Amino acid sequence: MRRSLLAAAVVLGTVGIVGCQTAAVPSSTSSAASAPAAATPSAVTALPIAPGAQPVSTDINDVLALAWLEGCWAGNVNQRSFREQWTAVRGNMLLGVGSTVYQGKVQDYQYLRIEAQPDGVFYVALPSGQAEARFKLTAITPDQQATLYTFSNPANDFPQEIVYRRGGEGWLYATIQGKLRGEPRKAVFPMRRVDCESGDFIRQ
């Protein structure tokens, strides 16, 4: 599973393309990788917790800790407009949808959810044309004036981690990272909170 937000991303200091279906993840060969199969639940294991990070449990409070995602987020990089929209927490779950528009056309999309399950809290993505992939919430880490929420699946092809960084003034940085063909890769998607109807930025 690759992040379906198809946008120019900063990858190891290089501007490139990252996508869900046919876009290339920047590498030394600049070739496109085939879409990997989603990991099974038994393959999802926790990564080592970084220093200063708070370990997470299976409690609904870990889902509520992400309630700030409710609403709409949007960004633009290299003529590509990407957007995520999340509902309020209902029961043990947040529901979301993401899409990327290029030259006036939807290039790809994905259905998202963050949910509490018996074995943990998971970020679950169902990209267009691909199988579902699950990433376990392994750490909530304070970082200066921001907080990082790390979802991990070491068994996934790429990415192995999805990190949501909640910054100040309505900023959200969604990062995918890990190794592809043995090489480290990292892509950052900067987004701002926007009004769901008008698309205007909301300063917080």
Side-chain angles (χ1 to χ4, degrees), residues 4 6-7 21 80 99-102 105-109 128:
S4 70
L6 181 57
Q21 294 180 319
R80 288 175 170 82
S99 62
T100 299
V101 172
Y102 178 62
K105 296 181 179 179
V106 174
Q107 200 160 43
D108 49 62
Y109 60 89
S128 48

Side-chain angles (χ1 to χ4, degrees), residues 6-9 15-17 75-82 101-103:
L6 181 57
V15 174
I17 302 296
N76 294 277
V77 180
N78 282 8
Q79 302 180 38
R80 288 175 170 82
S81 172
F82 42 94
V101 172
Y102 178 62
Q103 294 184 346

Side-chain angles (χ1 to χ4, degrees), residues 85-106:
Q85 182 169 351
W86 292 88
T87 64
V89 176
R90 287 179 58 84
N92 66 338
M93 187 182 299
L94 275 157
L95 294 174
V97 61
S99 62
T100 299
V101 172
Y102 178 62
Q103 294 184 346
K105 296 181 179 179
V106 174

Side-chain angles (χ1 to χ4, degrees), residues 6-21:
L6 181 57
V10 179
V11 181
L12 303 178
T14 304
V15 174
I17 302 296
V18 174
C20 167
Q21 294 180 319

Side-chain angles (χ1 to χ4, degrees), residues 1-200:
M1 172 265 177
R2 291 181 182 82
R3 186 165 181 76
S4 70
L5 294 176
L6 181 57
V10 179
V11 181
L12 303 178
T14 304
V15 174
I17 302 296
V18 174
C20 167
Q21 294 180 319
T22 59
V25 176
S27 64
S28 57
T29 60
S30 297
S31 61
S34 60
T40 60
S42 61
V44 181
T45 56
L47 294 180
I49 296 175
Q54 300 296 317
V56 295
S57 67
T58 62
D59 193 271
I60 183 61
N61 287 333
D62 292 322
V63 176
L64 293 174
L66 287 145
W68 57 270
L69 278 171
E70 178 186 352
C72 295
W73 305 84
N76 294 277
V77 180
N78 282 8
Q79 302 180 38
R80 288 175 170 82
S81 172
F82 42 94
R83 175 169 169 150
E84 288 187 3
Q85 182 169 351
W86 292 88
T87 64
V89 176
R90 287 179 58 84
N92 66 338
M93 187 182 299
L94 275 157
L95 294 174
V97 61
S99 62
T100 299
V101 172
Y102 178 62
Q103 294 184 346
K105 296 181 179 179
V106 174
Q107 200 160 43
D108 49 62
Y109 60 89
Q110 64 178 342
Y111 299 106
L112 306 166
R113 67 182 188 270
I114 297 172
E115 61 183 1
Q117 299 179 359
D119 54 339
V121 173
F122 288 85
Y123 180 105
V124 185
L126 179 58
S128 48
Q130 294 190 42
E132 181 178 277
R134 302 165 73 238
F135 297 80
K136 187 174 185 177
L137 178 62
T138 52
I140 300 175
T141 312
D143 179 26
Q144 296 180 354
Q145 296 182 347
T147 304
L148 280 66
Y149 301 82
T150 302
F151 301 87
S152 306
N153 184 344
N156 199 52
D157 184 0
F158 183 85
Q160 290 88 49
E161 284 191 340
I162 297 175
V163 181
Y164 273 36
R165 181 179 185 271
R166 184 186 186 185
E169 297 186 347
W171 279 100
L172 164 63
Y173 301 89
T175 300
I176 59 172
Q177 57 193 27
K179 288 188 177 181
L180 181 64
R181 302 190 187 94
E183 296 294 327
R185 292 288 181 264
K186 180 178 181 180
V188 181
F189 298 83
M191 291 180 276
R192 293 283 301 274
R193 184 181 291 280
V194 298
D195 182 275
C196 292
E197 296 297 328
S198 68
D200 294 336

